[in-house]
Amino acid sequence: MFGLETLDVAIGVIFVFLLVSILCTAIREGIEGWMKTRAAYLWLGIRELLHDKSATGLASTFYGHPLIYSLFPGDFDKAKVLEKPRFWANGRGAPSYLPSRNFAVALMDIAARGPLTSGVTANGGAPEMSLDNIRANIRNIDNPAVQRVLLAAIDAAKGDLDRAQLNIEAWFNSGMDRVSGWYKRTTQYWLFAIGLFLAVLMNVNALTIADYLFRTPKVRDAVVNKADAYLKVAASNAGAAKTSEQQYNEAKTELLSLGLPIGWGSNWEAAGRGDVERNDLWNYALLPVLGWLTTAFAATMGAPFWFDLLNKIMVIRSTVKPHEKSQEEGSEDRQAKAAQPQPSVPPPPPQQPGQAPPPPPPLPAAVQRSAAVSRDVEADLDDCGATPTVLTEDEDLPQAVGGVK
């Protein structure tokens, strides 16, 4: 029982972490929609990939190509030089996503026809984009490092233009993996900051919540039931798209409805722990800080992590929890068994004085089958499977001889 209680406490705490993570993610998405950090990191990654960190050469020309310029509405300040990933990176106006195919085709087009879009490069007499033209006009890209990359992609393609394009796309994707790492780390910093802010603002103390769940069986069971219901609803609405605001409101409502010691009540520091000697340093300082930090660190893991973990633990709980039959089900089984007709054995006739006892009547077939089924291996070895024909009464047995005097 102790293991099941501990498992239920873990489910309750993980459910709280899931809801807090959803709140933090929704807030982060709102900040991202305003600051465009992803676009700023993409702009930094493109400049490093094209060896133009100052954005005065190929990188600026590349963002002006029609295949790239059509991905974002209007101009953005290309002079914003981001030397390294920053917490407050601002990329408003720049594209947040760049397809690898657009990157490869735009770069090959610049190499074959030149960096500028004019009547010469945009009419039917413009050079064809072929491997031979790209190699012959490679100097249209005024960047020796990128020239060498393109020549390597052409040589590896062995005369296949599509293969050369795929080679350039692979080069782009490898550079974007680094950009994704920058953005992921920055997002984790943001989630920690937002998680700590929410933990303090709403007093979401992970340690207090775990202690309260362990000591309050009714609340613990209610939270586990709500977690199970939440997973079922989430599974049924898996394809439904929700805005960040909707996710925030639903998660906040669910969190506040759990009946846990969340918020700034009159007894927030000890969470109703009246059976423990009061320690002001622990209750007012160490416990809240440690609980808030735990909640903030949990938020950095992200909502998908806690959702998957909650699913797995609920499956484990369903296998650990004993599935006992109810008393009604057991009584019905016994009643059904008792209601079956039992074979009756007729009483033997009265015995006359001096007359040998008559042989017992044969057992009914149902009883014989039941006895044969219930006979174990040792019984078969003892009686060799023989069926008694004459029963000897106790008073007719010979007197025992011997024994200890």
Side-chain angles (χ1 to χ4, degrees), residues 114-128:
L116 300 178
T117 301
S118 62
V120 177
T121 58
N123 59 26
E128 180 184 0

Side-chain angles (χ1 to χ4, degrees), residues 46-266:
I46 291 295
R47 295 202 315 271
E48 290 196 354
L49 195 65
L50 298 180
H51 292 262
D52 185 18
K53 293 186 177 181
S54 62
T56 57
L58 179 59
S60 179
T61 302
F62 176 80
Y63 263 59
H65 191 278
L67 285 175
I68 308 302
Y69 185 79
S70 60
L71 298 177
F72 56 98
D75 294 326
F76 76 102
D77 189 3
K78 299 183 181 65
K80 291 181 180 179
V81 179
L82 189 65
E83 297 295 340
K84 60 181 180 179
R86 293 178 181 176
F87 188 76
W88 295 96
N90 187 345
R92 287 195 295 271
S96 298
Y97 175 73
L98 185 61
S100 59
R101 184 180 184 279
N102 289 43
F103 175 86
V105 174
L107 200 60
M108 291 190 299
D109 181 70
I110 292 175
R113 300 188 178 103
L116 300 178
T117 301
S118 62
V120 177
T121 58
N123 59 26
E128 180 184 0
M129 191 173 65
S130 62
L131 294 183
D132 293 337
N133 285 336
I134 293 175
R135 180 181 291 275
N137 300 320
I138 195 69
R139 293 187 180 275
N140 285 332
I141 297 180
D142 189 14
N143 190 311
V146 179
Q147 290 177 5
R148 185 165 183 175
V149 171
L150 289 180
L151 291 175
I154 292 173
D155 294 340
K158 299 186 180 301
D160 189 347
L161 181 63
D162 293 335
R163 181 72 177 274
Q165 176 183 326
L166 293 177
N167 293 338
I168 298 174
E169 290 181 13
W171 172 51
F172 170 79
N173 290 332
S174 63
M176 291 303 102
D177 290 341
R178 186 182 180 190
V179 174
S180 299
W182 296 341
Y183 184 75
K184 183 177 180 180
R185 285 193 297 271
T186 303
T187 299
Q188 288 181 328
Y189 295 151
W190 269 107
L191 291 177
F192 177 79
I194 298 171
L196 185 59
F197 173 77
L198 286 180
V200 177
L201 180 65
M202 303 177 64
N203 190 26
V204 185
N205 187 332
L207 301 181
T208 300
I209 292 173
D211 179 73
Y212 185 80
L213 286 172
F214 188 80
R215 295 183 297 103
T216 315
K218 291 184 178 180
V219 176
R220 181 175 65 243
D221 294 340
V223 172
V224 171
N225 292 334
K226 286 192 175 185
D228 185 45
Y230 182 88
L231 292 178
K232 292 179 180 178
V233 172
S236 61
N237 299 333
K242 297 181 180 179
T243 63
S244 299
E245 183 178 0
Q246 290 175 333
Q247 294 177 356
Y248 177 87
N249 292 333
E250 292 179 1
K252 183 179 179 181
T253 302
E254 188 73 27
L255 181 63
L256 296 179
S257 67
L258 296 179
L260 297 173
I262 296 175
W264 294 97
S266 58

Side-chain angles (χ1 to χ4, degrees), residues 376-383:
D376 56 10
V377 177
E378 288 78 5
D380 291 339
L381 295 177
D382 292 339
D383 60 13

